[in-house]
Amino acid sequence: MSGAEPFLFPDWPAPTGVHAATTLRTGGVSAGPYNSLNSALHVGDDTESVMHNRRFIRERLALPSEPVWLEQIHSSQVVKAGDVVGLPQADASYTDEPGVVCAVMTADCLPLLLCSVDGLRIAAIHAGWRGLLNGVIGNAVAALGECELLGWLGPAIGPGSFEVGEEVRIAFAHKSPAFDNAFKPQAGGKWLADIYRLARIELNMLGVTNIYGGRFCTVTEPDRFYSYRRDTVTGRMATLIWRD
C-alpha cells in the first residue's frame, strides 16, 4: 500500500454532524492501471482487490454503514439511499436519515455533494455533462425539498482539458443562454467546456448560491486522480457523504 494520504476532505462550512470525503488513488491494493485505491467493480479490476479497497475506505473513514453504491448511467435518476435494494441504475442519491452513506464514483465526471444548512438532508450526485444537461442536479435539489443548501464540487476534469464538440455547446445553449460563458472556442469546431462553471450556473438557477470546491483537474494530476479521458482503462474515485 502507498503511504500517501488517501482522502481529500471538502473545504466547505458544512454543519456539525455532516461528514464527507473523496478517495484519491493512493492507499489501496489494486494493480496496473487501477493502482491503487480503485473503488469500482465495473472497470475490469480484480474483484478481491476492489472489495479490499472498499473495506479500507469504510474502516479508515469510520463509515457508519456500507456506502449505497449506484450503477451510474449518465441519467437524471435520483434515489433515496435508505430505500435502495441491490444496485439501482441512478446517478444521485439522497437521504434525511443518520448513518446512511450516499456515494458516487467518478474519473473525470463531476462529483457534487449537497447538504442542508441544518445538516439534516444530504445528497451525492454524479454529474457528467449528459446528466447535468438532462437535469440530475435539479432532480436532486427537488428531492431534498424546501431548504437552504450548500454545495461542494469535487475533483473533475478541468476547464483546460475538457474538449467537446459543437453539439454539446448547442445542447446547453438550447437549455439556457446562461451556459454560453462555460464554453471557449477551439480549433476545428471544438470547444473547451468548464464543467465546474456549468454546475455553478445550474445550481444558481436552482437557488443554490453557497458553492465551494471546483478547483481540481483529474486529467493533469495523475498521481492523485483517476482520469478516463487520460487513461481510458483506469479506476474510480468515490465521493461520499453521511450525517450523524
Side-chain angles (χ1 to χ4, degrees), residues 44-158:
D45 194 4
D46 174 66
T47 298
E48 185 175 340
S49 296
V50 176
M51 298 310 294
H52 183 287
N53 291 340
R54 288 186 175 188
R55 287 193 299 273
F56 171 79
I57 292 165
R58 180 171 176 176
E59 291 169 5
R60 282 289 298 270
L61 292 175
L63 297 180
S65 60
E66 180 67 17
V68 177
W69 304 106
L70 308 173
E71 182 183 348
Q72 298 168 189
I73 55 172
H74 297 278
S75 70
S76 61
Q77 183 68 30
V78 180
V79 295
K80 188 170 185 180
D83 295 343
V84 162
V85 176
L87 190 68
Q89 289 190 336
D91 286 86
S93 67
Y94 72 98
T95 188
D96 56 4
E97 301 173 58
V100 176
V101 184
C102 297
V104 291
M105 291 184 288
T106 59
D108 286 334
C109 291
L110 173 66
L112 167 61
L113 299 180
L114 298 173
C115 74
S116 59
V117 296
D118 62 9
L120 298 180
R121 309 178 206 183
I122 57 175
I125 304 164
H126 164 243
W129 73 260
R130 291 177 181 84
L132 207 159
L133 177 67
N134 291 327
V136 69
I137 297 177
N139 288 349
V141 169
L144 291 173
E146 291 293 329
C147 59
E148 184 178 353
L149 295 171
L150 304 175
W152 182 72
L153 309 175
I157 187 169

